[in-house]
Every structure is written in structure tokens, then in C-alpha cells.
Amino acid sequence: MLFNTYVIAAASGGPGPKRVEGDNQVPEGVYHVAAFNPQSQFLLSLGLNYPNTSDRHRSDPKNPGGQIYIHGNRLSIGRMAMTDEKIEEIYLLALGGKKNGVPVYVFPARMLSREYRDLKVAHPKFASFWEELEPIDAAIENLHRPAIVSVGPRGQYRVVLKRSR
């Protein structure tokens, strides 16, 4: 079940996926919570499974980066700051879903928004990657639950579970 969507309060880097250690980018794509840190210096934090299978195909093979967290506060360097109030809610929801796994979808913007259309025009080198994310977002919006996603042989995202008829 989809509980909520959140806008990141602060993130470093610019539009586009993370591809190498030290680029200060926030990953974009499909992840899951891999670590819970109740003692974070940013109140609470959730570690993501970056680099995932897609990232390993597309990123620097020797140095893709790592240790990507969702956390409290409004300060970020290669991580996703959500504010203290939001991370408390997100952390509790994630704890509740821990047994079954907690998917995390990171998109450059709301996929049907004008902001997203403007990003595609301003950053055409990422357009084909972002277009892989569009059906994932559409499936989530249509199903109101997590989308089932696979990764193709070159790291491309594919939606496995689509809207039921």
C-alpha cells in the first residue's frame, strides 16, 4: 500500500542520477531501505541499497559511491534531507513495513508536472533514463501501491506489475 509521497527538503547536486563517488548527486531510480539508523546525527536516517543492480550497470564500475541516506534536518551532501518532522513519520512507516521490505522511488520531480517537462528540455542527456521512470510512477499512481520493477541486461528499469483491468 502506498502511504504517502514526499518532496525532498534539501538535496545536493542537480538533476540526473548518481553515477560516481563524490559527484554529490542523489540517486534516481528504484531502491529499498537497507538500513535503519535511530542514532543518526540528523535525528533519524534510512540507508538505501545504492548502488542497486541498475546503478552497477550504469555507474563507474570501480567507484559508484554509496552510503545514501534519507534523513532529518534540511542539510544534505549526496543525501536526501526530509526535515525532522517528516523523517519521524517516514521512519515509523518504514519500521512498520520492515518485515516485507520498504521500496523507495526517487524521481527528479513529479513525473506529470510542468517542472518535470522543463527538466527534460533543460537536461536532454537524462531524458531517456527519466522516461524509464515514467511507467513506474504511472503504475504507482494507478495502483496506489508499490510497483514491481525489474532491471534489464543493460540496467534499464522495467515495470513488471501494471495496472489491473
Side-chain angles (χ1 to χ4, degrees):
M1 172 179 268
L2 177 65
F3 285 98
N4 206 345
T5 59
Y6 297 90
V7 175
I8 297 170
S12 60
K18 180 169 190 56
R19 295 294 184 233
V20 65
E21 175 90 31
D23 63 1
N24 290 327
Q25 287 294 101
V26 170
E28 295 174 353
V30 180
Y31 302 93
H32 68 265
V33 174
F36 289 78
N37 183 1
Q39 311 257 317
S40 170
Q41 70 182 33
F42 298 108
L43 184 61
L44 300 165
S45 64
L46 300 166
L48 299 185
N49 69 317
Y50 177 87
N52 65 18
T53 303
S54 176
D55 298 317
R56 286 191 295 276
H57 282 281
R58 295 171 164 183
S59 299
D60 183 294
K62 293 181 181 171
N63 221 0
Q67 296 192 13
I68 302 299
Y69 286 85
I70 300 168
H71 59 76
N73 205 317
R74 291 184 177 268
L75 174 67
S76 178
I77 300 173
R79 298 179 177 160
M80 293 166 268
M82 303 303 293
T83 75
D84 290 348
E85 180 180 306
K86 285 183 187 174
I87 195 61
E88 287 176 343
E89 178 180 332
I90 294 166
Y91 196 90
L92 288 174
L93 287 170
L95 278 175
K98 185 177 181 179
K99 180 179 176 185
N100 297 319
V102 179
V104 176
Y105 305 91
V106 183
F107 302 127
R110 295 298 300 226
M111 302 304 270
L112 296 176
S113 70
R114 180 182 180 99
E115 177 189 6
Y116 171 64
R117 290 189 301 275
D118 292 346
L119 281 174
K120 281 177 71 174
V121 171
H123 303 279
K125 68 182 178 179
F126 301 127
S128 64
F129 171 71
W130 289 337
E131 287 166 2
E132 290 176 29
L133 302 179
E134 290 173 10
I136 299 167
D137 181 60
I140 294 166
E141 290 293 324
N142 289 329
L143 295 168
H144 300 288
R145 62 185 173 133
I148 306 299
V149 178
S150 69
V151 175
R154 291 177 312 234
Q156 68 275 27
Y157 286 112
R158 298 178 177 158
V159 175
V160 175
L161 180 64
K162 296 189 181 200
R163 187 175 102 175
S164 339
R165 295 184 185 243

